[in-house]
């Protein structure tokens, strides 16, 4: 085992060049990210298994409002993301490596701490939620097999705790990837998996529509007194609007993705193109999944095509789609976990620059993987984080319902408020001018959406807790 001194230039060590020749002008690891890798990161972050629940969301709102709101939030997310991309470099031209750095550069004060609380709170919640979601898809694979051979009415109860533990065990190894720069290959695979299971969902919905055995749809969605009560209609509509607003949100990791891009061409231009490609791609899949799913199932659309068994056959295709979801979540977990890892490790390196446990890198030869660089602090801290998130997932298997509330709390500040405020500061937009008023109106409307979505999420969380049955999925 060979050791390297990572105190002066840890990035050079991580990139495999201890001499420092392979670094950017700021002494950090030379970036190799491209439009393709950035787009893959975005698609991995944006298209989640939640795409398969958009039929339920449109069912709560109806054809007109559902489709219009979905497209509106695509435009809002793209617009504010371009603002955030422009803030990657400060006015002096220096790089801002994280979202908090960007806010510190343009706004400062307590807003930096508020940004950190919203961003990292959201990231922790997402990693816990992905552990649960992966286990749900793995359980669905077992159930599909059971239903196929024992009948659709069979009691096929499968515990999901072993699957959570297995997912966490795999993440312990993947978490040792040094930084965001090493995730490109993983994200490309995850993007392909996203397209695969979304396409399967769309294809199965089209098959149902073609068969003519479709559910009842309407311009306003679910019917009060028939499908839902009046109060349920309101709460579920709020929740559906929130689901659509949060379904595009990747601002929580936008700056970290942009920090992987090469300096030429300018990072903001490449990031804007990657954002456009990501948002356009996801919007097409969202509309197809949402609208075709609603056309197939109508007002009784399930919360998820695949894991709630809107389809039972062909069971092997259901299993394959759920396997694609799991592979996607394996990579997506890392996309959202890496900023957390980097935050803690960078702060510890600054606090204890002479500590060998924290700063030393060791080179090891691992069979099939070749040379691998090990840092003991990274090994212990990241393993502990994965174990902790897995334990929380096991204790609170209804945590996915809490994610809606977390999304409501973080969508407004991270996707709308901070990008708009920094844009106003950067462009020095005159107070009370027409553009200033329009931007403030956008901020206010999105705040109202977040508050309404939070109310709907709280009601949904209460229902989930009441319906929760321990030990089985």
């Amino acid at each position: 085992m060979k050791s390297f001194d990572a105190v002066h230039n840890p990035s050079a060590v991580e990139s495999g060049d201890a001499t420092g020749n392979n670094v950017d002008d700021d002494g950090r690891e030379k970036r190799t990210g491209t439009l393709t890798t950035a787009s893959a990161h975005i698609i991995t972050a944006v298209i989640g298994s939640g795409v398969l629940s958009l039929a339920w969301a449109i069912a709560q709102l109806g054809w007109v409002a559902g489709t219009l709101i979905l497209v509106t939030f695509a435009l809002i997310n793209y617009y504010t993301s371009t603002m955030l991309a422009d803030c990657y470099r400060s006015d002096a031209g220096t790089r801002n490596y994280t979202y908090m750095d960007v806010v510190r550069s343009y706004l400062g004060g307590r807003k930096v701490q508020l940004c950190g609380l919203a961003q990292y709170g959201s990231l922790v919640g997402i990693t816990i939620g992905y552990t649960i979601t992966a286990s749900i898809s793995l359980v669905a694979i077992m159930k599909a097999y059971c239903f196929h051979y024992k009948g659709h009415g069979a009691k096929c109860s499968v515990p999901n705790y072993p699957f959570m533990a297995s997912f966490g065990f795999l993440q312990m190894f993947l978490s040792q990837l040094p930084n965001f720069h090493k995730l490109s290959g993983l994200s490309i695979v995850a993007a392909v998996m996203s397209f695969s299971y979304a396409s399967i969902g769309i294809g199965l919905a089209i098959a149902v529509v073609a068969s003519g055995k479709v559910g009842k749809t309407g311009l306003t969605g679910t019917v009060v007194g028939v499908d839902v009560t009046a109060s349920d209609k309101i709460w579920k509509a709020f929740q559906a609007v929130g689901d659509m607003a949060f379904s595009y949100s990747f601002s929580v990791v936008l700056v970290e993705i942009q920090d992987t891009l090469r300096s030429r061409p300018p990072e903001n231009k490449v990031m804007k193109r990657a954002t456009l490609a990501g948002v356009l791609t996801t919007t097409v899949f969202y509309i197809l999944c949402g609208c075709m799913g609603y056309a197939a199932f109508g007002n009784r659309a399930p919360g998820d095509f695949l894991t709630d068994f809107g389809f039972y056959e062909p069971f092997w295709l259901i299993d394959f789609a759920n396997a694609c979801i799991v592979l996607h979540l394996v990579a997506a977990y890392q996309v959202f976990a890496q900023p957390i890892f980097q935050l803690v490790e960078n702060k510890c390196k600054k606090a204890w620059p002479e500590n060998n446990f924290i700063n030393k890198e060791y080179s090891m030869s691992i069979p099939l993987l070749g040379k691998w660089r090990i840092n003991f602090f990274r090994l212990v801290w990241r393993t502990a984080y994965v174990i902790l998130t897995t334990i929380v997932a096991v204790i609170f298997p209804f945590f996915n319902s809490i994610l809606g509330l977390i999304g409501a709390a973080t969508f407004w500040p991270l996707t709308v408020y901070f990008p708009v405020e920094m844009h106003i500061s950067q462009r020095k937009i005159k107070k009370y001018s027409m553009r200033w008023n329009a931007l403030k109106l956008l901020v206010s409307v999105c705040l109202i959406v977040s508050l309404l979505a939070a109310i709907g999420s709280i009601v949904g969380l209460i229902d989930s807790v009441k319906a929760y049955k321990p030990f089985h999925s």
Side-chain angles (χ1 to χ4, degrees), residues 433-472:
S433 65
M434 185 176 293
R435 183 170 177 77
W436 187 91
N437 287 328
L439 290 171
K440 289 294 185 180
L441 178 62
L442 174 64
V443 171
S444 299
V445 170
C446 289
L447 175 59
I448 293 171
V449 169
S450 287
L451 292 174
L452 294 178
I455 295 171
S457 296
I458 291 170
V459 174
L461 175 60
I462 293 172
D463 292 339
S464 296
V465 173
K466 288 180 179 178
Y468 167 59
K469 295 179 181 180
F471 305 116
H472 289 84

Side-chain angles (χ1 to χ4, degrees), residues 200-215 292-298 302 305 309-314 318:
I200 290 171
I202 294 167
L204 290 171
I206 291 174
V208 172
V209 172
S211 72
K213 299 177 181 179
V214 297
M292 292 309 302
Y294 183 45
F297 296 106
F305 283 178
F309 290 94
F311 309 101
Y312 286 93
E313 301 292 343
I318 306 297

Side-chain angles (χ1 to χ4, degrees), residues 212-266:
K213 299 177 181 179
V214 297
K216 183 180 179 181
T217 64
L219 293 178
T220 58
T222 53
V223 180
V224 175
V226 178
D227 303 305
V228 292
T229 63
S231 61
D232 280 346
K233 175 71 174 179
I234 294 172
W235 306 134
K236 289 181 178 180
F238 288 169
Q239 192 174 349
V241 171
D243 288 349
M244 290 180 177
F246 314 145
S247 64
Y248 289 99
S249 185
F250 65 97
S251 298
V252 66
V253 289
L254 185 148
V255 177
E256 284 76 7
I257 293 173
Q258 191 168 351
D259 192 47
T260 67
L261 294 173
R262 298 168 180 166
S263 57
R264 291 289 181 272

